[in-house]
Amino acid sequence: MGQPTLYELSQITVGPHSFKSNKPKAARRFKPARQLLTDETKYLQSKNLKFDTPTYTSLVSPPTLKPIKKYCDITGLEGKYKCPSNGIRFHDVEVYQEVVKNMTTSLDQEYLSLRGANVVLK
Amino acid sequence: MAPSKKGPEEFPPQTKYALKENTVTQVDQPFYQHYDTGVPIAIDMGSYQLRAGLTNSNTPNNIFPTLMARYRERKSNQLLTLVGNDVYRDPLIRSSIKSPFDGSIITNWDYVETIFDYTFAHLNVQSTNESVNNPIIMTEPPATTLNYRKGLYEMLFETYNAPQVTFGIDSLFSYYANTNGKPQDAIVIGSGHQSTHVIPVCQGKGVLSQTKRIDWGGDQSQQFLGKLLALKYPYFPSRLTPANTTNIFQDHCYVSEDYQHDLKHILDMDILESKDIVLQAPVEIVPEKKKSEEEIAAQTLKRREQGKRLQEQAKVRRQEKLLQKQQEYEYFVNFKSEFEFLTPGEVQKRLQTENFDDLSDFNKYFTNLEKSIKKQEHNEEDSDDEGFNDGNIDPLTAWPLVGIPDEQLNAEEIKEKRKQKLHKGNYEARQKSLEDKRREEEERAQYEQEQKEWRERDMEGWCSSKRIELAQIIHRVKERNKLLESFKDRKSMAAQQRMRSIADLANDENGSTNAASRKRRRNANATIDNDPNDTFGANDDDWNAYRDITNVNLEEEQAEDSKVILKLEEELLTYDANFHHEDTLAAQTTFDWKNSSLHKFIHGPRPNISLAMELEGLEQDEIAAHPEIIMKNHQLHVNVERIRVPEILFQPHIAGLDQAGITEVCDDLVNRRLGKFETDSPSYNVIKDVFITGGLSNLPNFDTRIVNEFTGFLPIGAPLRVRKAQDATIDPWKGMKLWSDTNECKGSYVTKAEFEEYGPEYIKEHGLGNVCLME
């Protein structure tokens, strides 16, 4: 038996299948993830839940209470210093001279976006 | 530059790993041979993979990525629907690959239906009543959204008419499988494709109320790695695909056992040697035809001959031109001599026939012609008659005419005298410079002598005073460098100061409020160019203002100081036994890639080969076309990233995620949320079995790191035990299979009738599943 063609592979999925009704059904409504999450929040608010009921929103890990360690945005090494003009953290003078100092604005935003420190215009 | 004692160091070539695309699996998904009605079907559907099988088998029958593609084939114009690994069979399909998931949420239920069709078809589900006549056990994430369960309920009950359905949490099923169906107390850390969960288990039941979710998993890690590499290699010839980065992440990333320590040392040469991973993107190198020695020699010979021929041709042409000019000259000499016998009117006429405006125009042309001929003749004759020999000139007798007054000489002699005067002047100037040189030499010898005596008298004192002098000059040079550097920045203090002084220069020297400048302002006709009050330039020193503005002084001083530094260093090198080449300024400031963290970060523990080639004297385009360089341009070095990316699970803020990491969540859980940590308390019991599962648990060292972190916040002697799932990918399915036989499972099925009555919120709670939110 040779390789099945893509069409044959497709037929496995498309059917017809004995295990389901092959009648055409009404199309489902598509909702983007963000809207589904809003729906979920609304649904949870509409319910009278106890404070410790585990829900999608209550399960999320809380913001950290520990001091945040600082790392170089370029190399990921320890980042002791911060460039005053664009806020990039860097490891040593070499990284500053070679990369940070002459960085274009769009590039520094890209580096900052790695740790969510970029400027987001709304 | 400091000559190194050894030759250039030799490095063995690094192991190169291929940059992997998604492997095209031509292995067909198997069809299940033992389908039986009524046997529960277990489906572990994650956002990365789906594992499905009937529970009368020991392993899931089908494992494939949760992906599908709808694609119109060009040739046959057929609409194809492909699922799982089949989407990788044709590279053309790649752009239409879709996932039903967006993050951890299912958004497209049509895709889910397609994937389920594919799954049930491969499980060989046979039916006579358009239904899947098997109970279905499915996984869902902890505290899933209502939409998720509603979608699955509707799908299973309405589309497939399943008789009964139950849900459980994948990580807990995995734990269940790894305890052989006897869950006790544990902390389950499930790190999957989209999120990571920490679930405590007490007396065999998952405690959902104390569960925490960190929104970071394999997919985010893979994306983050992609961003890092794109920023690290902005000129990488091909774009890294998600498949590339996923493979890099799976194959080469590992959890650091002690992140701070590893970070400090990962770029140390010996450690980097083992930690640096070279990834080679596929590249085709067209071998360039190499020219042989003889060919090159022949070529240069040919080129040289050609040059010679051209030179000769040019010479011939020049001589021809000269001849022509000479003829012209002779003609015009005759022409001119005729003028003496003609009236001015006739002369004018003659001139106009020769295309001259008037006599002055002709004279100008004539003298120019004369000059150019003379010059050319001169050039041809004594092009090699240069250099002076003052040796046999006697200054007393060489220029006899110079001393004689003009009145005693005839015209010819006066001309000769002028010539001799010039020669004499030149001779004297040369003598003077020789004299100067001699004096300088003497001074230097004297200085050397003094230094030598000083050294003999007090070697230590000499050394230290020289060193101090050197240090001072170096300091001065550095300060000046700083100043020069700061001029480049428009906003710096020095640059501002300079702008101010320029502005002052443009103003009147005495300030702008005096009477003269007011008068100037009133006089609208006086511009800066014709201002009668402007005396700039009357004094030669005025022009120094421009020197001040352009920093010429600074640069000159800098050059002078660097000369002095070199001289001092040379002296110290010869006489001071403790001053070595490494101590010279040049050696300290020359680039050594082994000390450069940036170089090692980007190029790994190997020198820059393109620089070496440049030193060898290869041309730029020759270097660019060099096969080794092309190979290198298609290489990625992964070193810090290997630990940086997995570290996000422990420090989510690295990726800008404002959530507590695994350690902090567990610390809080054990030391606070589960009550006081004491013998036989719930928190005491759970740490006896810390269980890691999910796709990311395959990262090396994950368990050792968890041990380290837990030891950090647990009291000494706590009975900590940490283990990984045996096979994180299929253990949840195995757990479901194991659990399907239990009464707990049988009691948790929701039937279609119950679903229709109670709606999608309704589930029957059990130890491995979610909490029912119904009131």
Side-chain angles (χ1 to χ4, degrees):
Chain A
M1 209 176 84
Q3 278 291 323
T5 62
L6 289 180
Y7 178 72
E8 282 162 9
L9 287 169
S10 174
Q11 286 308 303
I12 297 172
T13 312
V14 178
H17 298 299
S18 65
F19 48 77
K20 70 186 244 190
S21 155
N22 287 298
K23 273 176 271 169
K25 281 180 299 290
R28 292 187 183 88
R29 234 183 99 205
F30 174 78
K31 278 185 178 178
R34 209 188 321 156
Q35 201 182 342
L36 290 176
L37 283 179
T38 327
D39 289 355
E40 177 71 13
T41 324
K42 266 186 209 152
Y43 155 72
L44 291 173
Q45 278 165 356
S46 74
K47 295 188 78 74
N48 191 12
L49 296 172
K50 273 195 286 177
F51 74 96
D52 66 342
T53 312
T55 64
Y56 187 80
T57 43
S58 77
L59 222 63
V60 67
S61 166
T64 179
L65 297 173
K66 299 219 161 114
I68 283 176
K69 292 204 173 72
K70 289 157 184 163
Y71 299 102
C72 171
D73 286 321
I74 318 296
T75 60
L77 302 170
E78 187 189 12
K80 282 188 213 149
Y81 318 101
K82 184 175 164 186
C83 175
S85 61
N86 55 17
I88 293 273
R89 293 202 166 280
F90 55 93
H91 175 63
D92 58 6
V93 65
E94 190 204 352
V95 177
Y96 178 73
Q97 291 286 354
E98 300 292 322
V99 188
V100 181
K101 201 171 155 196
N102 303 315
M103 201 177 254
T104 57
T105 332
S106 56
L107 189 61
D108 66 32
Q109 289 304 309
E110 259 178 80
Y111 271 112
L112 288 174
S113 74
L114 287 179
R115 58 176 162 98
N118 54 331
V119 180
V120 181
L121 294 175
K122 276 177 191 160
Chain B
M1 224 187 285
S4 59
K5 281 153 211 126
K6 294 167 276 175
E9 270 179 272
E10 290 292 327
F11 291 99
Q14 283 183 284
T15 320
K16 285 178 201 149
Y17 296 87
L19 188 63
K20 279 194 276 180
E21 257 302 326
N22 256 329
T23 36
V24 184
T25 41
Q26 296 291 1
V27 184
D28 299 329
Q29 284 289 324
F31 288 90
Y32 193 56
Q33 299 305 322
H34 307 287
Y35 174 78
D36 213 345
T37 311
V39 178
I41 294 177
I43 303 174
D44 172 17
M45 182 169 70
S47 54
Y48 181 59
Q49 268 184 342
L50 186 145
R51 304 100 182 162
L54 265 76
T55 51
N56 57 8
S57 158
N58 284 324
T59 49
N61 187 55
N62 300 98
I63 303 174
F64 55 87
T66 321
L67 295 172
M68 61 86 65
R70 215 162 266 156
Y71 158 77
R72 187 169 288 280
E73 198 182 37
R74 284 274 175 79
K75 263 187 284 174
S76 54
N77 202 26
Q78 283 162 331
L79 186 70
L80 302 179
T81 305
L82 299 170
V83 176
N85 283 316
D86 295 343
V87 299
Y88 297 125
R89 286 191 187 234
D90 190 339
L92 284 174
I93 309 175
R94 202 162 286 164
S95 59
S96 38
I97 296 177
K98 299 273 175 4
S99 165
F101 284 85
D102 181 356
S104 56
I105 289 173
I106 294 179
T107 50
N108 198 317
W109 291 98
D110 289 339
Y111 296 167
V112 178
E113 188 180 339
T114 310
I115 289 169
F116 275 3
D117 283 349
Y118 178 87
T119 311
F120 289 133
H122 280 89
L123 292 179
N124 227 346
V125 177
Q126 305 296 333
S127 171
T128 49
N129 56 353
E130 297 190 334
S131 322
V132 176
N133 296 311
N134 304 67
I136 288 172
I137 310 171
M138 277 211 68
T139 54
E140 58 181 11
T144 183
T145 58
L146 180 67
N147 181 276
Y148 190 97
R149 192 179 300 131
K150 180 169 160 256
L152 283 178
Y153 264 145
E154 282 173 3
M155 183 75 60
L156 296 170
F157 282 135
E158 288 165 13
T159 309
Y160 296 102
N161 290 314
Q164 42 194 359
V165 174
T166 185
F167 294 101
I169 292 163
D170 49 354
S171 309
L172 292 180
F173 278 132
S174 176
Y175 171 64
Y176 189 84
N178 279 274
T179 53
N180 280 323
K182 293 178 196 68
Q184 293 292 314
D185 296 290
I187 295 178
V188 175
I189 300 174
S191 198
H193 191 55
Q194 291 292 348
S195 49
T196 299
H197 287 95
V198 178
I199 314 170
V201 180
C202 290
Q203 286 147 10
K205 286 183 167 39
V207 185
L208 266 290
S209 57
Q210 299 302 343
T211 296
K212 286 291 166 214
R213 178 186 72 233
I214 302 163
D215 292 317
W216 194 267
D219 191 38
Q220 289 91 340
S221 302
Q222 166 268 112
Q223 285 176 19
F224 190 76
L225 181 63
K227 281 188 213 162
L228 285 182
L229 290 176
L231 284 169
K232 186 173 177 181
Y233 297 98
Y235 300 113
F236 197 66
S238 62
R239 245 193 83 215
L240 290 178
T241 61
N244 288 145
T245 45
T246 307
N247 282 322
I248 298 173
F249 181 69
Q250 286 175 353
D251 296 347
H252 302 297
C253 284
Y254 65 95
V255 179
S256 162
E257 287 175 36
D258 181 349
Y259 191 61
Q260 300 306 324
H261 176 270
D262 281 2
L263 209 54
K264 209 165 262 172
H265 297 289
I266 191 158
L267 289 187
D268 293 357
M269 278 301 280
D270 47 338
I271 293 173
L272 189 62
E273 189 64 41
S274 61
K275 298 290 183 195
D276 189 62
I277 294 281
V278 188
L279 295 159
Q280 179 76 56
V283 55
E284 237 175 81
I285 295 173
V286 186
E288 212 191 346
K289 226 176 40 190
K290 261 277 193 242
K291 283 174 187 151
S292 71
E293 291 275 309
E294 290 139 46
E295 274 178 313
I296 292 170
Q299 214 171 21
T300 46
L301 197 69
K302 204 173 156 195
R303 214 177 290 151
R304 206 170 293 151
E305 271 173 16
Q306 220 162 17
K308 223 182 234 171
R309 211 167 52 232
L310 280 174
Q311 273 176 351
E312 275 164 16
Q313 277 173 358
K315 200 175 171 188
V316 168
R317 222 174 300 130
R318 268 203 307 275
Q319 274 167 350
E320 275 171 10
K321 231 178 188 172
L322 183 64
L323 205 66
Q324 208 180 341
K325 272 184 187 166
Q326 276 166 342
Q327 281 165 358
E328 203 180 353
Y329 179 69
E330 275 164 34
Y331 170 76
F332 280 125
V333 166
N334 286 334
F335 182 69
K336 207 180 173 184
S337 61
E338 283 172 29
F339 289 176
E340 292 171 28
F341 313 106
L342 297 172
T343 62
E346 280 171 321
V347 168
Q348 184 65 23
K349 222 180 233 167
R350 285 298 305 272
L351 283 171
Q352 268 163 4
T353 56
E354 293 288 342
N355 283 334
F356 291 107
D357 289 345
D358 50 23
L359 194 62
S360 69
D361 189 25
F362 168 73
N363 281 338
K364 204 169 149 192
Y365 178 77
F366 186 73
T367 44
N368 276 344
L369 189 64
E370 203 175 14
K371 258 188 217 163
S372 81
I373 288 172
K374 258 187 197 163
K375 201 171 150 195
Q376 211 165 346
E377 276 172 343
H378 183 77
N379 276 352
E380 296 279 321
E381 280 162 21
D382 34 48
S383 56
D384 54 355
D385 184 26
E386 270 171 31
F388 299 97
N389 192 358
D390 291 341
N392 44 19
I393 292 175
D394 180 2
L396 295 176
T397 56
W399 309 290
L401 294 175
V402 175
I404 302 164
D406 282 0
E407 297 86 61
Q408 297 168 23
L409 299 168
N410 59 22
E412 202 52 21
E413 279 173 329
I414 286 177
K415 223 178 186 178
E416 183 61 27
K417 183 190 165 184
R418 213 178 288 149
K419 217 177 190 178
Q420 287 189 359
K421 227 178 180 171
L422 197 71
H423 280 261
K424 194 183 172 206
N426 284 345
Y427 173 79
E428 279 167 359
R430 284 197 294 276
Q431 290 303 319
K432 193 163 174 276
S433 83
L434 272 181
E435 182 66 25
D436 284 350
K437 242 182 232 167
R438 204 156 40 230
R439 210 173 31 243
E440 248 171 55
E441 200 103 317
E442 271 168 24
E443 272 170 22
R444 212 177 48 226
Q446 200 188 344
Y447 170 80
E448 295 280 308
Q449 186 61 30
E450 277 171 22
Q451 295 287 320
K452 198 178 163 197
E453 278 165 18
W454 184 4
R455 280 197 295 273
E456 276 161 7
R457 207 172 50 239
D458 176 16
M459 190 62 179
E460 250 171 62
W462 182 86
C463 286
S464 62
S465 86
K466 287 283 161 187
R467 277 175 181 234
I468 288 167
E469 197 182 339
L470 182 65
Q472 277 168 347
I473 298 173
I474 288 177
H475 178 72
R476 203 160 68 207
V477 166
K478 279 186 178 161
E479 285 293 306
R480 228 177 273 135
N481 264 342
K482 230 186 247 173
L483 189 65
L484 279 172
E485 192 67 16
S486 67
F487 278 127
K488 285 182 191 157
D489 180 8
R490 213 163 45 81
K491 287 181 200 151
S492 75
M493 186 82 111
Q496 297 270 310
Q497 185 66 45
R498 183 169 155 255
M499 290 306 290
R500 215 169 292 138
S501 66
I502 291 173
D504 282 348
L505 279 172
N507 267 330
D508 226 6
E509 268 171 46
N510 310 327
S512 54
T513 49
N514 67 4
S517 76
R518 254 183 280 134
K519 193 174 152 202
R520 191 174 60 200
R521 259 182 242 150
R522 243 180 287 129
N523 185 359
N525 289 332
T527 66
I528 198 150
D529 294 325
N530 64 2
D531 184 4
N533 297 321
D534 189 1
T535 57
F536 184 87
N539 188 351
D540 274 349
D541 290 339
D542 290 349
W543 301 105
N544 281 342
Y546 288 105
R547 273 177 66 89
D548 294 343
I549 291 173
T550 50
N551 304 322
V552 178
N553 284 340
L554 271 180
E555 274 158 30
E556 274 171 9
E557 281 167 27
Q558 202 73 330
E560 223 153 84
D561 272 353
S562 54
K563 255 186 231 160
V564 178
I565 289 173
L566 281 183
K567 197 169 148 250
L568 276 173
E569 280 176 349
E570 208 177 282
E571 280 180 23
L572 280 168
L573 277 176
T574 19
Y575 299 113
D576 188 345
N578 296 323
F579 192 86
H580 304 291
H581 269 294
E582 293 89 75
D583 303 325
T584 58
L585 182 67
Q588 279 166 17
T589 47
T590 27
F591 176 74
D592 181 6
W593 64 269
K594 280 190 207 162
N595 296 331
S596 158
S597 47
L598 210 53
H599 174 99
K600 286 185 284 187
F601 175 62
I602 295 170
H603 302 290
R606 292 290 177 273
N608 192 336
I609 50 170
S610 62
L611 270 184
M613 285 180 183
E614 233 168 78
L615 284 180
E616 271 174 39
L618 286 160
E619 295 289 325
Q620 276 303 323
D621 48 344
E622 224 173 332
I623 294 176
H626 198 282
E628 245 182 279
I629 295 287
I630 297 177
M631 288 286 273
K632 196 173 162 19
N633 288 343
H634 285 73
Q635 277 171 10
L636 299 169
H637 287 261
V638 191
N639 36 52
V640 181
E641 295 82 0
R642 294 181 67 195
I643 54 173
R644 185 180 181 184
V645 177
E647 184 63 22
I648 299 169
L649 287 171
F650 298 91
Q651 302 178 45
H653 71 81
I654 293 179
L657 193 63
D658 190 18
Q659 293 180 357
I662 291 180
T663 318
E664 205 181 334
V665 168
C666 292
D667 184 1
D668 191 41
L669 177 73
V670 172
N671 286 326
R672 194 181 65 86
R673 284 188 278 132
L674 286 184
K676 206 169 167 232
F677 187 86
E678 54 195 9
T679 315
D680 291 331
S681 70
S683 53
Y684 187 85
N685 290 333
V686 287
I687 59 140
K688 284 178 190 163
D689 191 6
V690 177
F691 176 74
I692 311 165
T693 185
L696 294 195
S697 70
N698 289 326
L699 288 169
N701 295 342
F702 203 134
D703 43 354
T704 24
R705 173 64 181 267
I706 291 286
V707 171
N708 290 347
E709 296 290 344
F710 271 67
T711 332
F713 62 75
L714 286 177
I716 296 167
L720 177 67
R721 191 177 75 130
V722 178
R723 60 183 176 135
K724 275 186 185 181
Q726 274 176 339
D727 184 344
T729 26
I730 59 167
D731 278 353
W733 189 90
K734 284 186 173 166
M736 288 154 95
K737 178 226 146 56
L738 210 57
W739 187 67
S740 67
D741 292 335
T742 60
N743 287 330
E744 191 183 14
C745 171
K746 284 166 189 155
S748 74
Y749 283 122
V750 172
T751 61
K752 191 175 176 183
E754 282 168 326
F755 164 65
E756 278 160 0
E757 190 179 344
Y758 300 119
E761 279 178 307
Y762 182 68
I763 47 169
K764 291 176 182 160
E765 285 182 16
H766 59 88
L768 305 177
N770 273 313
V771 173
C772 179
L773 294 185
M774 254 178 105
E775 281 132 6

